[in-house]
């Protein structure tokens, strides 16, 4: 997986870049088709905005962002990563939802039978 980290109007240390790369690569645990991630840190005055774009093979692009004070770049990145993990988990769950295989007539039939029984009991 390719991880690109860019900074606007500021810089971060090499250690923090390595930390962000390692953490971003853990997205593969949630969805193995993730091809690349792009993390952008935008320093504006006393605020920092972290944005993450994730590209999955033959799938949608995922986008998250979070904004905090400039002192909290680490926690801000962790928030963005948590949001991205949640998005990817929900998307994968939607793809592998096995409940979609149930026939609709059986679900409707169960509901109709209970309605018929209730009407018979009330008479």
């Amino acid at each position: 997986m390719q991880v690109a980290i860019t900074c606007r109007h500021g810089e971060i240390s090499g250690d923090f870049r390595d930390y962000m790369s390692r953490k971003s690569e853990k997205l593969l645990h949630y969805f193995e088709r993730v091809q690349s991630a792009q993390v952008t840190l935008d320093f504006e005055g006393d605020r920092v905005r972290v944005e993450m774009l994730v590209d999955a093979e033959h799938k949608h692009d995922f986008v998250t962002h979070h904004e905090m004070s400039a002192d909290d770049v680490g926690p801000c990145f962790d928030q963005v990563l948590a949001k991205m993990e949640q998005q990817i988990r929900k998307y994968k769950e939607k793809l592998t939802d096995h409940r979609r295989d149930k026939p609709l007539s059986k679900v409707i039939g169960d509901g109709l039978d209970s309605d018929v029984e209730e009407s018979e009991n009330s008479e």
Side-chain angles (χ1 to χ4, degrees):
M1 180 173 120
Q2 297 175 348
V3 179
I5 300 169
T6 58
C7 293
R8 292 185 204 148
H9 310 292
E11 291 188 23
I12 55 172
S13 67
D15 292 339
F16 191 65
R17 281 185 187 269
D18 293 339
Y19 170 78
M20 290 192 315
S21 294
R22 282 194 320 268
K23 289 290 192 173
S24 297
E25 287 175 2
K26 290 187 178 187
L27 293 174
L28 288 171
H29 293 286
Y30 298 104
F31 194 58
E32 57 278 347
R33 292 181 182 245
V34 172
Q35 290 182 331
S36 65
Q38 181 178 358
V39 181
T40 305
L41 287 86
D42 191 6
F43 294 93
E44 297 177 8
D46 63 340
R47 309 287 294 169
V48 64
R49 177 185 169 101
V50 179
E51 181 177 77
M52 181 181 271
L53 304 168
V54 173
D55 182 33
E57 177 184 339
H58 304 296
K59 304 295 177 201
H60 301 288
D61 293 336
F62 302 100
V63 179
T64 59
H65 57 87
H66 192 74
E67 187 172 334
M68 293 178 87
S69 67
D71 317 352
D72 302 330
V73 178
C76 190
F77 171 74
D78 292 337
Q79 285 287 330
V80 167
L81 190 62
K83 288 179 184 180
M84 184 59 69
E85 289 170 357
Q86 183 179 15
Q87 267 190 27
I88 290 175
R89 250 189 277 123
K90 281 186 176 182
Y91 185 76
K92 186 173 180 180
E93 183 178 316
K94 190 184 219 183
L95 287 178
T96 59
D97 189 7
H98 298 292
R99 292 178 289 166
R100 292 183 180 191
D101 297 317
K102 291 184 180 179
L104 185 60
S105 60
K106 186 174 184 177
V107 174
I108 292 174
D110 291 341
L112 291 177
D113 292 341
S114 63
D115 291 340
V116 171
E117 289 174 11
E118 287 177 12
S119 62
E120 289 174 1
N121 293 336
S122 63
E123 293 176 3

